Amino acid sequence: QVQLVESGGGLVQAGGSLRLSCAASGRTFSSLAMGWFRQAPGKEREFVADISWNGGNTYYADSVKGRFTISRDNAKNTVYLQMNSLKPEDTAVYYCAADRHSYYSGSYDYWGQGTQVTVSS
């Protein structure tokens, strides 16, 4: 089992930045690929970014490429999502997820409760 707790969400103006954190406990964090997803009101949850177990491979949705950066600190059992140049359309609940595989597989086995990000225009 893996428990995930997100933090760092909030209200920010368009063009601003936020850094989300996801603290993991339980199963060995350093062996797991990690992902970030988001869900806006009335929309389906969508993939945002993924990072492999050692940080060597990262993937991004086209909508955030060049603005968001995923990273991890295995010593702290934490994965981050640095979000820059935020837009109102980035407003959503952001979820952290853990993949029992070490590299991106497209499926995730554990989910956090989410943290709200609101970008005002």
Side-chain angles (χ1 to χ4, degrees), residues 8-11 18 20 39 41 91-94 114-118:
L11 174 63
L18 279 176
L20 305 183
Q39 187 167 20
T91 295
V93 177
Y94 283 71
T115 185
Q116 176 71 47
V117 172
T118 303

Side-chain angles (χ1 to χ4, degrees), residues 67-120:
R67 299 188 299 121
F68 291 10
T69 303
I70 189 171
S71 62
R72 65 190 297 159
D73 185 340
N74 285 346
K76 296 182 178 179
N77 282 9
T78 302
V79 63
Y80 305 97
L81 186 68
Q82 177 67 44
M83 304 185 295
N84 298 330
S85 302
L86 283 161
K87 305 175 182 180
E89 51 263 43
D90 294 318
T91 295
V93 177
Y94 283 71
Y95 298 91
C96 172
D99 182 347
R100 59 189 172 89
H101 303 95
S102 295
Y103 293 91
Y104 173 77
S105 71
S107 66
Y108 296 85
D109 305 280
Y110 308 100
W111 295 85
Q113 294 299 305
T115 185
Q116 176 71 47
V117 172
T118 303
V119 184
S120 63

